[in-house]
Amino acid sequence: MKGINISTNHDDLDIELIHSFVANSYWAKNIPLSTLQKSIDNSLVFGAYATGGDQVGFARVITDRATFAYLSDVFVIEKYRGQGISKQLMENISSHPDLQGLRRFMLATSDAHGLYSQFGFTSVENPEKLMQILTPGIYD
């Protein structure tokens, strides 16, 4: 979409907007602002901004910038959906210099497989090899 700027500058982020969205998401319901802020401070961030500077989208990548990355907290606010902003975010993420040559780049999604598959993401082969510690409702 024309008029959308993608920035990796933490200072540009609208933390209140990000918290409002993520704290109401299916993946991080009720996340405390301080926890979200800490996660953002320790991640590579991508903010999407409309003309005038209003933030309209966000994504963060948890990474060592050498071998592994995990894409998280991707969203575009409802008013701006359907305009190619999520694709623009993914193009910027995919081409970021710190995310090249990684051995593994992962994500989890319930509803955006079509978007991510355009950027090379596939279902995990041998998912039985993966393990996790999951604490459902940790923020409730």
Side-chain angles (χ1 to χ4, degrees), residues 12-129:
D12 293 340
L13 297 173
D14 181 341
I15 298 300
E16 291 177 10
L17 173 87
I18 296 167
H19 183 250
S20 175
F21 191 95
V22 175
N24 289 294
S25 69
Y26 67 84
W27 64 86
K29 186 91 174 138
N30 299 323
I31 188 170
L33 177 59
S34 60
T35 302
L36 179 67
Q37 182 68 60
K38 186 175 181 180
S39 73
I40 288 170
D41 290 347
N42 291 292
S43 298
L44 178 57
V45 297
F46 295 82
Y49 304 89
T51 304
D54 290 339
Q55 186 167 355
V56 299
F58 177 74
R60 71 183 182 95
V61 179
I62 305 138
T63 183
D64 63 10
R65 299 173 190 239
T67 65
F68 180 81
Y70 185 88
L71 179 61
S72 185
D73 297 337
V74 181
F75 71 86
V76 173
I77 61 173
E78 193 166 347
K79 177 180 173 183
Y80 287 87
R81 291 182 189 162
Q83 300 178 37
I85 297 169
S86 60
K87 193 169 184 177
Q88 194 174 342
L89 271 168
M90 287 305 302
E91 287 167 352
N92 277 261
I93 292 165
S94 296
S95 65
H96 193 280
D98 288 347
L99 301 175
Q100 304 308 302
L102 300 173
R103 183 174 63 245
R104 184 165 301 204
F105 198 160
M106 299 187 76
L107 64 83
T109 184
S110 290
D111 55 7
H113 297 80
L115 169 67
Y116 300 122
S117 66
Q118 294 176 54
F119 295 91
F121 287 89
T122 62
S123 296
V124 174
E125 289 183 35
N126 305 316
E128 66 277 5
K129 291 182 178 183

